[in-house]
Amino acid sequence: MTALLEIEGLEAGYGRRTVLHRLSVRLHAGEAIALIGHNGTGKSTLLRCISGQIVPSAGSIRLDGASVAGLAPDRIVRMGIVQVPAGRRVFPRLSVRENLEAGAFTRRDRADVAREIAELMQRFPVLGTKQRLHAGILSGGEQQLLAIARGLMARPRVLMVDEPSLGLSPIMVDQVFDVVNALVRDGMALVLAEQNVRKALQVTHRAYVLAQGRVSAEGASGSLLADAHVRESYLGLGQAAAFGALVDAAEAS
Amino acid sequence: MDAGYLLAQLVNGLAIGSVYALIGVGYSMVYTILYLINFAHGDVIMFGTMAALALMGFGVPAWAALAAGCLVGAGLGMVVERVAYRPVRNAPRTVPMISALGAGLVVSSVAQGIWGPDVMSFPQLIPRGSVELAGVALPVQPLAILAVALALVAIGSAVLELTRWGRATRCVCQDMMAAQLMGIPVNRLVPAIYAVGGLIGVAGCSLFAMYFNAVWVQMGQLATTKAWAAAMLGGVGNFYGAFAGGLLLGVAEALAVAAFGSLFKDGASLAIIVAVLLLRPNGLFGTPVVARS
C-alpha cells in the first residue's frame, strides 16, 4: 500500500541552523499519526515544511505521489493539505461564521459551503449560538474547536493539527481530543503534533517520536504507550512508578 | 472670532481631513499587515499626482489623466513592495523601515529629476464658488472633496465586507500566517493592497493639489506625515479608524489655525502623533496589536 503522504529524507531549518535531519514519515489514507517529542524537537518545523511555510533544503514531500515541497502555501492547501495552527490563530475580528467561511477560501461551491457550515454548527453547537460574535472573544477551548472546524471547511485530504491542547483547561483538553478522536474514527487522514503524549497516543494509530530533529522511535501508538522508554521520557511515569514501587515495598516490610 | 469664520474653518477642515483620510487609509492597511511604517507612501502618491498633471500637460483629458495617475500610483506601490519590502519582510523591523525611507528618497529624487523642485499649479476640475443652503453659503469645492472621499470609502468598505477578496484582505490584516494556511495567496494579495493604497492615495493627493492649487515634489513627505498622523489618531488595524482619524486631523488643524494662526497647521499633526503615542498608543478606535512570533 502506497502512502497518502510520504516524507523522505527531509532536511530543513532556519538560516544556517538545521532543525530536521533526514526525517522520514508516512501517512496512509484513513490513518492518524502522532508526532510526539519535547519542545524544540522539530514537530512544528516539520508541519511548516509540509504546509509550505518553509522550504526544505533536501528530501521530498509527496501527496499521492505528487511533490509538494517548495510549493506556495496556498497551492498546498488547494492540493488538500490543511494545517490547524498551534495557538489556534482564529481571526479575532471576524465573526465565528466568517472564520468558517475564510476556511473555505479555496472553494467556489457556495451552496455546499453553506451546508457544511450548518452541519458544523450542529456538530459544535457553541459555534452555532455564537456565530455572529467576534472569534476573539471566545474562550480558548471554543477557539480551538473553531480552528479545527475552520480547517475542515477546506475539505482537507490530510489534516494537520498542531498542539491543539496548548493552553487549555483539562476539561477543554478532553473535549478537543474527543473531537480529534471523532475525526479519526470518521477516517480523516490526520497528523497530530502534540505535547500531551498520552492523549496523542490514545487517539492515533501510529506515532513518531522526534528527538533533535530525527525520528528516534516509531510504531503503533498502543505499543509506544506501553514502551518503557517512552513512558519514562514522555509520560513522566518511569521514575514515579519506580518510586511508587519502592514505597510499596517499604510499607510491606 | 465670529461664527461664520468658524464654520468656514470647519468646512475647510473637513475637506482637508477627507484628503488626509484618503491618504491615511492605504498607509494604515499596509502598517496593519506588515507593521511597516511606509515612509515611501507619500512619495508614491505624489508621483502619481505629478504623472496625472504631466499627462494633462500633454493634452490628455483631465479625468482620464487623473485615472491614469491613480494607476501609476497603484503600479508604483506594487513595484516598491516587490523591490524594497518583500525581500526584507522577515528581517528585524528597523530594516524594512530603512528600506522604506530609501525607496521614498529614490521616488522623490526621480520625480525631482523629471519635474524639478518648483511648486506648480493644478487645474481646478471642481468649480470654486458656493451654493446656498438654508440661507448659508456653502463652498462647493470642500463639499465635493468630502463627497468624493466618502464615496471612495463606501466603495472600499463594501469591497472589504462583501467580497471574497475583501474578506481575504481582512484575514491577512488580522493574521497573515493563518491566512496563508487558509489557502489565501498572501504574496498576490499584499501587492494588491499596496496598489489599492496607492490608487486611493493618488485620488486624495490630487484633491489636495486641486484644493490648494499647488503640487510640488516635496509634498510627498508632507503626505507621509499626514497619513501617519491620521492612522495613529484613528488607530491602526482599522480601515474606518484611519478614515475617521483623517477627518479629525483635518478639523483639528483647521481649529488650530483658527485659534493660533496658520503657522501652527503642520505642527498640529505632529503634536497629535506625539500625544497619541504617549497617551493612547492604539489610537482612538484601534485594537491592541499583539506581537506574534
Side-chain angles (χ1 to χ4, degrees):
Chain A
M1 187 162 123
T2 57
L4 176 61
L5 181 68
E6 191 159 22
I7 295 152
E8 279 293 333
L10 198 70
E11 298 206 8
Y14 305 93
R16 280 191 206 157
R17 195 166 67 90
T18 306
V19 175
L20 301 181
H21 305 274
R22 302 174 56 76
L23 203 112
S24 297
V25 167
R26 47 182 57 200
L27 172 73
H28 297 101
E31 186 187 40
I33 60 171
L35 306 174
I36 61 179
H38 297 297
N39 241 339
T41 48
K43 303 189 296 288
S44 290
T45 305
L46 174 57
L47 294 193
R48 271 186 212 144
C49 277
I50 301 172
S51 61
Q53 292 171 286
I54 52 178
V55 178
S57 49
S60 67
I61 305 170
R62 289 174 185 284
L63 179 71
D64 250 350
S67 175
V68 302
L71 293 183
D74 57 291
R75 286 277 311 276
I76 294 174
V77 172
R78 278 169 210 280
M79 289 174 76
I81 303 179
V82 174
Q83 181 182 352
V84 178
R88 309 180 283 276
R89 308 289 285 258
V90 296
F91 299 110
R93 279 166 282 119
L94 255 50
S95 72
V96 168
R97 171 175 284 274
E98 286 177 318
N99 265 277
L100 293 174
E101 286 166 353
F105 177 82
T106 54
R107 295 170 54 185
R108 307 312 296 261
D109 45 344
R110 287 187 178 199
D112 281 354
V113 168
R115 188 175 47 73
E116 280 167 42
I117 288 178
E119 283 170 11
L120 279 169
M121 285 180 175
Q122 274 191 333
R123 190 162 164 192
F124 309 119
V126 63
L127 301 185
T129 53
K130 298 191 173 179
Q131 57 172 299
R132 297 195 188 290
L133 299 182
H134 278 186
I137 65 171
L138 301 186
S139 75
E142 290 165 352
Q143 288 188 4
Q144 187 62 58
L145 294 183
L146 176 58
I148 293 173
R150 181 181 67 175
L152 291 174
M153 285 307 299
R155 280 204 177 151
R157 299 177 65 201
V158 173
L159 185 70
M160 305 193 295
V161 187
D162 195 4
E163 303 283 3
S165 76
L166 201 69
L168 299 186
S169 70
I171 297 172
M172 283 315 304
V173 170
D174 287 346
Q175 209 173 327
V176 165
F177 271 98
D178 284 346
V179 170
V180 173
N181 201 16
L183 291 174
V184 174
R185 268 182 281 133
D186 288 349
M188 172 71 73
L190 191 123
V191 180
L192 176 65
E194 178 59 58
Q195 298 214 34
N196 189 330
V197 173
R198 181 197 306 274
K199 291 266 183 200
L201 293 178
Q202 279 166 353
V203 297
T204 50
H205 302 115
R206 285 190 309 118
Y208 292 83
V209 181
L210 266 54
Q212 280 143 32
R214 296 182 171 82
V215 173
S216 71
E218 61 177 287
S221 297
S223 53
L224 281 174
L225 199 54
D227 181 279
H229 174 70
V230 171
R231 286 173 72 88
E232 190 168 325
S233 307
Y234 300 99
L235 299 176
L237 289 178
Q239 284 172 358
F243 184 71
L246 214 68
V247 171
D248 287 348
E251 281 176 350
S253 65
Chain B
M1 192 183 334
D2 62 286
Y5 175 66
L6 211 59
L7 182 70
Q9 279 300 338
L10 196 67
V11 171
N12 183 33
L14 280 176
I16 299 173
S18 327
V19 168
Y20 294 164
L22 291 178
I23 298 172
V25 161
Y27 174 90
S28 170
M29 289 182 83
V30 168
Y31 184 88
T32 309
I33 297 169
L34 305 172
Y35 303 130
L36 168 70
I37 296 180
N38 185 2
F39 282 115
H41 184 62
D43 295 304
V44 164
I45 65 183
M46 170 277 297
F47 199 95
T49 307
M50 284 296 211
L53 184 66
L55 285 173
M56 288 181 222
F58 290 127
V60 176
W63 294 107
L66 273 185
C70 287
L71 292 180
V72 167
L76 192 55
M78 287 168 79
V79 169
V80 167
E81 191 272 339
R82 188 72 192 85
V83 174
Y85 300 157
R86 195 183 302 179
V88 292
R89 195 187 284 166
N90 296 319
R93 280 178 56 188
T94 41
V95 175
M97 214 164 86
I98 292 165
S99 174
L101 266 175
L105 280 174
V106 168
V107 171
S108 71
S109 304
V110 169
Q112 187 146 333
I114 302 174
W115 292 296
D118 298 331
V119 177
M120 291 175 270
S121 73
F122 200 86
Q124 300 298 301
L125 303 176
I126 306 170
R128 291 181 181 267
S130 57
V131 286
E132 209 161 281
L133 202 78
V136 183
L138 292 170
V140 171
Q141 208 171 31
L143 294 177
I145 289 174
L146 181 63
V148 169
L150 287 175
L152 283 174
V153 165
I155 294 170
S157 81
V159 170
L160 276 181
E161 298 291 337
L162 303 176
T163 68
R164 178 166 174 264
W165 285 99
R167 183 163 43 230
T169 303
R170 286 190 288 151
C171 290
V172 173
C173 286
Q174 291 177 29
D175 192 330
M176 185 150 96
M177 178 245 197
Q180 213 164 29
L181 293 177
M182 300 301 109
I184 294 168
V186 171
N187 276 338
R188 274 190 284 147
L189 195 59
V190 167
I193 291 166
Y194 272 88
V196 171
L199 194 141
I200 296 178
V202 172
C205 197
S206 303
L207 289 171
F208 181 90
M210 237 177 264
Y211 193 53
F212 290 100
N213 190 21
V215 55
W216 69 103
V217 164
Q218 296 303 326
M219 80 190 288
Q221 274 144 41
L222 187 68
T224 301
T225 314
K226 304 300 185 185
W228 191 1
M232 277 291 161
L233 183 59
V236 291
N238 187 331
F239 181 75
Y240 308 100
F243 189 77
L247 284 181
L248 274 175
L249 181 66
V251 172
E253 279 190 8
L255 294 181
V257 171
F260 310 115
S262 59
L263 265 180
F264 288 87
K265 182 170 160 290
D266 293 334
S269 49
L270 294 171
I272 282 174
I273 294 182
V274 173
V276 168
L277 284 175
L278 283 176
L279 302 173
R280 241 189 108 74
N282 293 318
L284 296 179
F285 316 105
T287 42
V289 175
V290 181
R292 296 272 194 202
S293 57

